[in-house]
């Protein structure tokens, strides 16, 4: 029995994500929560002929608590999507409080659930969730994940396009490390399962890296202010959630990049820290998944000079993003106490 919960289930990411989770035969119960429309979304999904029982809840009458009761995996796409001209700082100011309150709900109702954070900016919202869990005394670094899968999906698709065969896109595997915004997104193209063409030009390489890093901007612009990368993000979120569910059910050898606490694996975190040359609380790297969540953080391994340059550029931004999330919770709880 697996209960999956989507917080922000009526939004642009939440609805298609809930649909994909309903279609997953391993999900037997699906809890949906949002500030509007969730009962209607749940009723609609409940007519689909798959095993999951679906219930939708709104904030009144302890709706968040009811949605989270018995949750095994919680996915958080809640918040406001990015619009043209909106900076990551703008997005943070809007979404930080939303994520904080949802994290408190998880801490009090489903503290053992695996928590997958999609709400942007992920580099800062994952530390927010971690700090809230620490305040409530329930933080388990092995069970908290920032979903960076969309960067991997984009990298796979774009490499397949360059190779001239989109049918390869499901097979192409490109590790993407660092974080989940702009320059913090570092595709390790030298480790791609399907190498780039021989003699691939440097300017073409730079263009590809930039497209992977700023693919979200491409979508925001194409939607002319009407939305962000909602459908592709829902797909990526469902893909990662499916891997977590499979691992929890005992499947071995599942490896996927995710933005996690380096405390989740002491040995792997130490090796990664040595490679980076500085300590970071969170970093996205290949992670081996198991029944308890993070089993192993896999170091970067052999990378090129160009990739090292990208990582060097990412580190100061990651430090700033992490501090932003941590400082937000420190300030929030300076005037209020966490309550169980």
């Amino acid at each position: 029995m697996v209960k999956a919960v989507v917080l922000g289930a009526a939004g642009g990411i939440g609805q298609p994500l809930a649909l994909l989770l309903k279609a997953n035969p391993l999900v037997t119960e699906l809890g949906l929560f949002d500030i509007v429309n969730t009962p209607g979304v749940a009723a609609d999904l409940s007519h689909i002929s798959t095993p999951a029982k679906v219930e939708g809840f709104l904030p009144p009458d302890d709706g968040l608590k009811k949605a989270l009761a018995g949750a095994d995996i919680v996915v958080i796409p809640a918040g406001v999507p990015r619009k043209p001209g909106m900076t990551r700082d703008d997005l943070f100011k809007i979404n930080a409080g939303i994520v904080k309150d949802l994290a408190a709900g998880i801490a009090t109702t489903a503290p053992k659930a695996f928590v997958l954070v999609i709400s942007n900016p992920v580099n800062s919202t994952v530390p927010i969730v971690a700090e809230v869990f620490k305040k409530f005394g329930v933080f388990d670094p092995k069970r908290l994940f920032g979903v960076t899968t969309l960067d991997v999906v984009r990298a796979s698709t774009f490499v397949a396009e360059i190779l001239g065969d989109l049918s390869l896109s499901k097979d192409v595997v490109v590790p993407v490390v660092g974080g989940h915004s702009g320059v913090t997104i570092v595709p390790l193209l030298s480790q791609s399962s399907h190498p780039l063409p021989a003699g691939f030009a440097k300017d073409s390489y730079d263009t590809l890296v930039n497209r992977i890093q700023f693919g979200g901007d491409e979508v925001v612009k194409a939607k002319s202010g009407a939305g962000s990368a909602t459908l592709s993000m829902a797909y990526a979120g469902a893909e990662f959630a499916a891997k977590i569910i499979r691992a929890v059910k005992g499947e071995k050898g599942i490896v996927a990049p995710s933005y996690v606490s380096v405390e989740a694996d002491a040995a792997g975190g130490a090796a990664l820290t040595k490679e980076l040359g500085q300590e970071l609380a969170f970093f996205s790297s290949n992670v081996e998944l198991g029944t308890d969540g993070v089993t192993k953080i896999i170091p970067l391994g052999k990378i090129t000079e160009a990739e090292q340059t990208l990582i060097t550029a990412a580190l100061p931004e990651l430090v700033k993003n992490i501090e932003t999330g941590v400082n937000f919770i420190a300030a929030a709880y300076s005037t209020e106490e966490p309550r169980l």
Side-chain angles (χ1 to χ4, degrees):
M1 303 291 287
V2 174
K3 178 176 179 177
V5 176
V6 180
L7 303 182
I13 296 172
Q15 288 200 46
L17 173 61
L19 171 63
L20 292 167
L21 290 173
K22 173 68 170 122
N24 186 328
L26 296 178
V27 176
T28 52
E29 191 173 348
L30 186 58
L32 309 179
F33 176 84
D34 211 324
I35 57 174
V36 293
N37 300 333
T38 347
V41 174
D44 195 358
L45 291 173
S46 71
H47 293 183
I48 296 171
S49 55
T50 59
K53 175 187 175 184
V54 188
E55 289 186 284
F57 299 92
L58 296 168
D61 301 320
D62 283 330
L64 178 59
K65 185 175 182 178
K66 291 174 182 176
L68 287 167
D72 298 297
I73 179 170
V74 180
V75 192
I76 312 177
V80 173
R82 196 153 56 95
K83 296 178 175 64
M86 184 182 283
T87 67
R88 298 283 170 180
D89 287 341
D90 295 334
L91 201 59
F92 177 81
K93 290 173 185 175
I94 298 169
N95 288 345
I98 296 170
V99 172
K100 166 186 166 288
D101 292 343
L102 294 175
I106 299 167
T108 55
T109 304
K112 296 294 186 182
F114 298 92
V115 180
L116 283 56
V117 181
I118 290 174
S119 305
N120 274 318
V122 165
N123 294 355
S124 299
T125 54
V126 171
I128 283 176
V129 175
E131 291 301 307
V132 170
F133 285 0
K134 289 175 186 178
K135 294 291 184 183
F136 283 88
V138 297
F139 178 54
D140 182 348
K142 293 181 179 294
R143 291 173 179 260
L144 176 61
F145 302 87
V147 180
T148 61
T149 312
L150 180 53
D151 304 323
V152 179
V153 168
R154 284 180 174 138
S156 300
T157 302
F158 300 162
V159 168
E161 287 178 353
I162 288 168
L163 296 175
D165 186 357
L166 271 176
S167 69
L168 293 173
S169 57
K170 286 290 287 183
D171 300 317
V172 173
V173 178
V174 180
V176 182
V177 302
H180 185 55
S181 67
V183 297
T184 70
I185 298 169
V186 180
L188 301 182
L189 292 161
S190 68
Q191 297 181 15
S192 173
S193 62
H194 294 62
L196 293 168
F200 194 64
K202 184 182 184 304
D203 60 341
S204 297
Y205 171 86
D206 292 342
T207 298
L208 174 59
V209 169
N210 185 267
R211 192 180 182 204
I212 294 167
Q213 291 181 325
F214 296 96
D217 294 349
E218 183 179 316
V219 177
V220 169
K221 182 179 178 181
K223 289 188 175 182
S224 302
S228 59
T230 52
L231 299 174
S232 52
M233 186 65 248
Y235 170 83
E239 284 283 293
F240 187 70
K243 289 180 179 179
I244 295 286
I245 293 168
R246 285 161 46 206
V248 169
K249 283 187 161 289
E251 186 175 332
K252 305 290 186 183
I254 298 176
V255 174
S258 180
Y259 184 68
V260 299
S261 167
V262 295
E263 296 178 18
D265 169 25
L272 180 63
T273 298
K274 185 176 180 180
E275 288 179 321
L276 297 176
Q278 72 178 83
E279 292 186 2
L280 289 173
F282 296 88
F283 195 83
S284 181
S285 185
N286 271 336
V287 172
E288 184 175 338
L289 303 172
T291 54
D292 293 323
V294 176
T295 295
K296 183 178 181 182
I297 295 174
I298 300 171
L300 304 178
K302 186 178 179 181
I303 60 175
T304 66
E305 186 177 335
E307 290 163 351
Q308 182 60 59
T309 299
L310 292 171
I311 287 173
T312 300
L315 293 179
E317 187 69 15
L318 275 171
V319 170
K320 176 185 170 185
N321 295 161
I322 293 165
E323 287 178 349
T324 298
V326 171
N327 291 341
F328 174 80
I329 293 302
Y333 284 118
S334 68
T335 56
E336 68 176 274
E337 285 296 319
R339 296 187 303 273
L340 285 170

